[in-house]
């Protein structure tokens, strides 16, 4: 009886987790297989979406080492602004949640980049 | 041999990260020669680790191992094909690693807040220092060269946790519980904090599991802690365990809480706390030079605890209710709770202590508790998984012994 209880406990423990994680692991596998044969830049564009392509393009066109201010267009674009800091690195980049915050900052970067999920644009605040 | 490799790998990563953090705090440049010295020091630490005796496997253990290998296979495939795409891995941890590799310092312009946004500026840097070592050695700043480090830590976590449980509950039960942990959606399927991420949560629970392995190997030493006739082995053990606690305390802020719980659990000598004290002193010295940015000031928040006691019910509900979210945890916490009721000793008390401290951080936060719980609760619960798995292992032993 004790062995049966332990066997049931093992099934109760493991089976639901396999059922819940299975689809996500399948998705991860499919994504990984679909990325084979692509360059890493292409893979990043697939994984991150439109904004990443713009980060790469802006990094090429802006003067080397110039700091950028990243201002999300809407509150839901804040995450993309944060990720862009990473992709801009080592170019200095800071996130300002509004044009007003950028204005008030004592030493704000000269180049302002407006951010949303699909694109990044250099703009005049 | 696999157990030895996993333990040695965690020792190596932990030693390089820990000693690098201390060296960096003292202003020693983190350059390639420095990393060479750190690697040598790590090899000395690893050399004390003996290859454990191999336990014969049962058919159940083999089946559970096969099941465990499926998420590991997906992890390896993801590591070699897919860019790092999680939140804190990019916003916090990997950016710090890149800055260390570029500036050869943990007190340079990035950490002083003079260049890019440095999220959670005073977070401990064990993992970024270790990752920066790989950037240094490879001469690359592409995060794909560091992804294998995180993946190997995730795999080492499962191996070491299984080894710890095996000493308590035998090979079959340990293998089954490990399979469950490997398939936990928060571990296997969550990109933010799970096995494919660059967060420091998984390294932290890997080091917790390493300490639990030491506890399960050497449980008899704890019962002799008050005995004056301690052997050289006991003293060496205290140092080794202390080093493991220092890894835990230096990988994430929450690690200090987990290190206290582990120390309480082990009942090893007070000497174990010396490496932790040295580490935390170095961390405090470094923090004194780094402006606090984009982070909660918990010491200050805790001063207002009295005024926020009324937040406890909401904080407790926000965290504890997540344990019952079936699509994330299945019956994992229910079985762990049964294990705690059966054990009713130090392991259960240590787990409840960690849970209480986490609830307290929710109670004192300046965030909306519900909002904070959405972004962090499941990840915080992941920190308790090694304790919960051990509770299940202990309850299996109890069921067998009755």
């Amino acid at each position: 009886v004790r062995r049966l209880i332990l066997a049931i406990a093992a099934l109760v423990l493991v089976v639901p987790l396999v059922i819940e994680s299975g689809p996500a692991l399948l998705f991860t596998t499919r994504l990984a297989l679909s990325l084979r044969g692509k360059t890493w830049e292409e893979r990043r564009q697939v994984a991150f979406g439109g904004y990443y392509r713009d980060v790469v393009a802006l990094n090429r066109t802006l003067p080397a080492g110039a700091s950028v201010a990243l201002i999300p267009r809407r509150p839901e674009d804040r995450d993309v602004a944060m990720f862009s800091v990473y992709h801009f690195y080592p170019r200095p980049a800071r996130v300002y949640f509004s044009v007003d915050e950028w204005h008030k900052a004592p030493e704000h970067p000269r180049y302002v980049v407006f951010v949303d999920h699909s694109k990044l644009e250099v703009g005049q605040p | 041999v696999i157990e030895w490799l996993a333990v040695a790998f965690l020792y190596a990563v932990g030693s390089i990260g820990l000693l690098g953090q201390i060296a960096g705090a003292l202003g020693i440049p983190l350059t390639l020669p420095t990393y060479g010295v750190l690697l040598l020091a790590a090899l000395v630490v690893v050399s004390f680790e003996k290859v454990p005796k191999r336990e014969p496997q049962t058919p159940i253990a083999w089946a559970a191992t096969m099941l465990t290998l499926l998420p590991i296979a997906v992890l390896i495939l993801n590591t070699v094909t897919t860019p790092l795409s999680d939140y804190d891995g990019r916003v916090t941890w990997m950016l710090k690693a890149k800055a260390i590799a570029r500036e050869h310092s943990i007190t340079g312009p990035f950490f002083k807040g003079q260049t890019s946004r440095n999220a959670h500026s005073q977070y401990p840097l064990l993992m970024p220092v270790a990752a920066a070592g790989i950037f240094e050695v490879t001469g690359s700043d592409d995060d794909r060269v560091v992804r294998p480090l995180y993946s190997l830590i995730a795999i080492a976590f499962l191996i070491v946790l299984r080894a710890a449980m095996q000493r308590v509950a035998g090979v079959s039960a340990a293998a089954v519980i490990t399979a469950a942990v490997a398939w936990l959606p928060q571990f296997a399927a969550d990109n933010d904090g799970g096995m494919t991420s660059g967060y420091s949560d998984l390294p932290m629970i890997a080091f917790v599991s390493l300490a639990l392995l030491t506890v399960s190997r050497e449980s008899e030493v704890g019962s002799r802690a008050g005995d004056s006739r301690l052997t050289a082995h006991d003293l060496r053990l205290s140092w080794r365990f202390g080093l493991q606690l220092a890894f835990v305390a230096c990988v994430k802020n929450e690690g200090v809480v987990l290190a206290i719980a582990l120390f309480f659990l082990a009942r090893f000598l007070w000497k174990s706390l010396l490496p932790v004290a040295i580490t935390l002193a170095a961390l405090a010295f470094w923090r004194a030079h780094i402006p606090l940015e984009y982070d909660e000031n918990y010491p200050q928040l805790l001063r207002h605890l009295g005024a926020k006691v009324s937040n406890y019910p909401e904080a407790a509900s926000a965290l504890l209710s997540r344990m019952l979210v079936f699509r994330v945890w299945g019956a994992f916490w229910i079985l762990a709770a049964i294990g705690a009721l059966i054990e009713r000793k130090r392991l259960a008390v240590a787990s409840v202590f960690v849970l209480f401290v986490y609830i307290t951080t929710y109670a004192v936060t300046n965030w909306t508790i519900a909002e904070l719980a959405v972004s962090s609760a499941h990840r915080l619960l992941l920190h308790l998984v090694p304790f919960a798995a051990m509770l299940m292992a202990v309850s299996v032993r109890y069921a067998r012994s009755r």
Side-chain angles (χ1 to χ4, degrees):
Chain A
V1 174
R2 214 180 306 143
R3 288 180 77 122
L4 184 68
I5 291 171
L6 286 175
I8 291 170
L11 289 174
V12 168
L13 177 65
V14 176
V15 173
L17 299 173
V18 173
I19 291 169
E20 291 299 336
S21 289
L25 287 174
L26 209 57
F27 173 80
T28 306
T29 306
R30 283 198 183 126
L31 175 66
L33 294 176
S34 74
L35 293 173
R36 281 182 314 165
K38 290 186 166 65
T39 66
W40 277 85
E41 280 311 296
E42 288 168 339
R43 292 175 196 201
R44 290 195 168 102
Q45 285 179 18
V46 171
F48 306 143
Y51 81 90
Y52 177 75
R53 192 182 50 236
D54 292 343
V55 172
V56 175
L58 284 172
N59 237 346
R60 287 204 196 104
T61 52
L62 290 170
S67 304
V68 292
L70 298 162
I71 303 180
R73 287 193 189 277
R74 301 160 303 173
E76 57 266 36
D77 297 321
R78 288 179 178 189
D79 289 356
V80 180
M82 306 281 192
F83 298 147
S84 300
V85 173
Y86 177 73
H87 296 303
F88 267 118
Y89 192 83
R91 178 187 294 285
R94 287 191 171 274
V95 176
Y96 299 88
F97 292 132
S98 65
V99 172
D100 194 39
E101 190 189 337
W102 172 79
H103 263 301
K104 285 178 182 161
E107 288 178 14
H108 54 232
R110 191 179 131 209
Y111 294 96
V112 173
V113 175
F114 289 101
V115 178
D116 67 37
H117 272 77
S118 58
K119 64 173 185 285
L120 272 70
E121 277 180 323
V122 177
Q124 291 294 321
Chain B
V1 175
I2 289 174
E3 182 186 323
W4 182 87
L5 282 173
V7 169
F9 178 70
L10 290 179
Y11 266 129
V13 174
S15 302
I16 290 171
L18 184 74
L19 297 174
Q21 161 95 60
I22 294 170
L26 297 173
I28 298 169
L30 295 172
T31 54
L32 205 51
T34 310
Y35 276 106
V37 174
L38 294 178
L39 183 62
L40 280 177
L43 291 176
V44 170
V45 173
V46 169
S47 70
F48 286 102
E49 189 62 27
K50 293 193 181 76
V51 179
K53 204 175 74 184
R54 192 178 182 278
E55 295 286 335
Q57 299 294 298
T58 62
I60 291 174
W62 278 116
T65 303
M66 291 298 131
L67 191 62
T68 308
L69 287 175
L70 286 173
I72 290 177
V74 175
L75 170 63
I76 293 168
L77 185 65
N78 174 274
T79 304
V80 297
T81 59
T82 312
L84 182 75
S85 60
D86 61 62
Y87 190 97
D88 268 350
R90 286 185 288 167
V91 170
T92 306
W93 299 104
M94 205 62 79
L95 188 59
K96 290 176 193 286
K98 287 188 176 195
I100 294 167
R102 182 160 282 270
E103 298 176 358
H104 307 297
S105 169
I106 58 170
T107 52
F110 175 84
F111 289 94
K112 292 266 169 71
Q114 293 160 359
T115 58
S116 287
R117 181 182 196 274
N118 177 17
H120 308 289
S121 60
Q122 294 190 348
Y123 267 15
L125 295 174
L126 188 148
M127 281 311 295
V129 166
I134 296 175
F135 285 136
E136 283 280 354
V137 170
T138 57
S140 166
D141 67 348
D142 191 322
D143 55 44
R144 70 191 156 112
V145 300
V146 174
R147 291 286 316 280
L149 169 72
Y150 285 86
S151 305
L152 288 172
I153 288 174
I155 296 167
F157 157 64
L158 293 173
I159 296 168
V160 169
L161 181 63
R162 177 171 164 167
M165 289 190 290
Q166 196 167 294
R167 280 158 177 84
V168 174
V171 288
S172 301
V176 169
I177 299 169
T178 305
V181 172
W183 280 87
L184 280 173
Q186 184 58 35
F187 174 84
D190 195 305
N191 194 33
D192 289 315
M195 65 179 184
T196 57
S197 76
Y199 283 51
S200 287
D201 299 77
L202 256 179
M204 184 169 71
I205 60 170
F207 294 130
V208 167
S209 303
L210 184 61
L212 286 172
L213 174 61
T214 304
V215 174
S216 64
R217 274 177 184 173
E218 311 279 354
S219 54
E220 77 279 10
V221 176
S223 59
R224 288 191 279 122
D227 192 337
S228 57
R229 291 162 297 161
L230 290 160
T231 64
H233 166 79
D234 296 344
L235 292 172
R236 270 202 308 276
L237 167 70
S238 289
W239 277 100
R240 209 164 66 224
F241 186 66
L243 194 60
Q244 294 163 2
L245 294 188
F247 297 162
V248 174
C250 199
V251 74
K252 280 205 84 189
N253 284 337
E254 298 94 323
V256 175
V257 180
L258 295 169
I260 292 169
L262 287 164
F263 182 75
F264 166 77
L265 184 62
R267 292 187 292 172
F268 291 160
L269 302 175
W270 284 99
K271 282 191 176 65
S272 302
L273 292 181
L274 199 56
V276 185
I278 293 169
T279 302
L280 294 181
L283 203 56
F285 179 73
W286 170 72
R287 281 175 172 156
H289 298 87
I290 300 298
L292 184 69
E293 282 189 306
Y294 312 109
D295 209 353
E296 298 262 42
N297 187 345
Y298 278 105
Q300 199 171 41
L301 288 172
L302 284 170
R303 274 186 225 142
H304 306 289
L305 181 61
K308 297 204 170 181
V309 169
S310 58
N311 286 349
Y312 267 95
E314 188 190 348
S317 155
L319 195 61
L320 301 180
S321 65
R322 266 25 184 227
M323 290 175 151
L324 300 175
V325 178
F326 201 75
R327 65 180 169 74
V328 182
W329 298 106
F332 186 82
W333 292 111
I334 295 167
L335 292 172
I338 293 169
L341 287 174
I342 291 171
E343 202 247 9
R344 284 185 298 172
K345 284 184 187 161
R346 287 182 169 247
L347 193 53
V349 174
S351 309
V352 170
F353 164 74
V354 175
L355 210 47
F356 176 75
V357 175
Y358 282 4
I359 289 169
T360 301
T361 61
Y362 273 21
V364 299
T365 184
N366 284 330
W367 285 52
T368 310
I369 292 173
E371 209 178 300
L372 181 61
V374 167
S375 65
S376 66
H378 289 303
R379 197 157 38 82
L380 288 181
L381 290 176
L382 188 67
H383 300 174
L384 277 161
V385 162
F387 291 93
M390 287 298 283
L391 280 170
M392 287 182 208
V394 170
S395 60
V396 170
R397 182 176 65 184
Y398 178 85
R400 284 215 191 102
S401 65
R402 293 282 288 178

